[in-house]
Each structure stands twice: as C-alpha cells, then as structure tokens.
Amino acid sequence: MSETEEGTPAMPDPTPDGIDQRLAAVDAGLDRDDPDVGTEVIKLVHAADGDFEAVAARVERALGAARPEVRRLACVAAGDLARTSGRLTPGIYAALRAEGLGGPADSAIKDTLTYIPFRQLTWWFRWTSARLTVRNWAEGRWLRATDTFETARDAWREKFGQK
C-alpha cells in the first residue's frame, strides 16, 4: 500500500485483486477499532461491484462498532449500499431500525425506502414508509391551508387598509 500526503495508508486500487485488499484493510481497521475505518467502508461500497455479500458483511460489522463516528459513517455506507445494489441484508435492516429515524441512520433509512422496492422491505420499514407518507401528506395539506389563510388575510388587510 502507498502512503497519502497526510501520512495515512491509502486504500488499494479497485481492481479485482484490490477489492480483496480493501476487504482485508477494512477488516483490519475494524479489528483495531480505527476511528477512520468508516470512511474506508464507504469507499469499499463504491469500489466493489458485484461482491454484495462481502461488502454488506463489512457494513453490518461497522454498524455495530463501538465508536459513534464509525457507526455514523457506516449508516452512510448502508444508504449508499441501498442506492447502488437495491438491497440490504437482514442484519443491516436490524441495525438501521435500532438507530431509528432522527439520528445518524435517518438518511440511510430514507435511502432504503427510496431505492429498495416496497415488497422487499421488512415490516418495520414498510410501516415507516406508510407512516412517513401519511405524515408528509398531512403536513402538505396543513401548509396549503395556512398559505390560503394568510393570502386571504393579506388581501383583506390590503382592501380595507389594515396593516
């Protein structure tokens, strides 16, 4: 492996042999609890075409890391994996569900709902999709009603000179 300008080891090339080296580098980073391994997991997701199971295993392992910054970046990697492959493993679904909406997994959950077909989602993700759809619809209706009221109020004040 070569050294980058910052002095940290650079990831190998994304060639077929390089993918195995990347997997080994991510495994080694997770074993030694490296705080920068989350970035390497994201790079692995984007570099590995076709080896879904091996990449998903590393993402799942990173989602269970002790360091919050690694878990946060593993959530990004999970969302990217959903985008690029259109599927996730049961372990990744469970880890994202445990993190929940509103936390570091928020965008990964929304990416999952966007890029994975509804029928392939687990029940919690299906329920979350339905709940978010209803919430967004109700919020949209409320905002339209508020805008209509404010427009009518402004027209009334303009017509009758009250400001």
Side-chain angles (χ1 to χ4, degrees):
M1 280 195 254
S2 64
E3 295 281 327
T4 62
E5 286 89 41
E6 298 87 30
T8 58
M11 290 300 287
D13 294 329
T15 60
D17 293 332
I19 296 301
D20 293 336
Q21 292 175 359
R22 283 179 181 264
L23 294 172
V26 168
D27 285 339
L30 288 168
D31 288 341
R32 68 176 180 271
D33 197 26
D34 184 6
D36 297 325
V37 74
T39 305
E40 304 307 328
V41 173
I42 294 171
K43 289 178 184 178
L44 179 65
V45 168
H46 290 286
D49 291 332
D51 199 3
F52 172 78
E53 295 300 326
V55 172
R58 274 47 177 212
V59 171
E60 187 175 334
R61 189 169 168 209
L63 284 167
R67 292 181 179 269
E69 62 269 16
V70 173
R71 285 195 313 274
R72 191 172 320 121
L73 291 174
C75 288
V76 173
D80 291 346
L81 189 62
R83 285 174 184 247
T84 58
S85 69
R87 60 187 172 141
L88 295 176
T89 63
I92 295 174
Y93 279 122
L96 292 177
R97 180 181 178 189
E99 289 285 340
L101 286 170
D106 192 71
S107 62
I109 290 171
K110 290 178 181 174
D111 285 347
T112 300
L113 298 176
T114 302
Y115 293 100
I116 297 179
F118 185 79
R119 292 190 181 263
Q120 293 178 9
L121 296 172
T122 62
W123 286 104
W124 183 84
F125 278 84
R126 289 181 186 186
W127 169 248
T128 300
S129 175
R131 187 171 49 94
L132 290 176
T133 300
V134 170
R135 186 193 73 181
N136 292 341
W137 176 85
E139 185 177 325
R141 291 291 181 176
W142 175 258
L143 291 173
R144 276 188 230 101
T146 303
D147 186 48
T148 302
F149 172 78
E150 289 174 354
T151 302
R153 182 194 64 202
D154 292 345
W156 176 269
R157 286 180 177 173
E158 186 177 309
K159 182 166 177 82
F160 295 106
Q162 296 177 354
K163 290 248 177 190

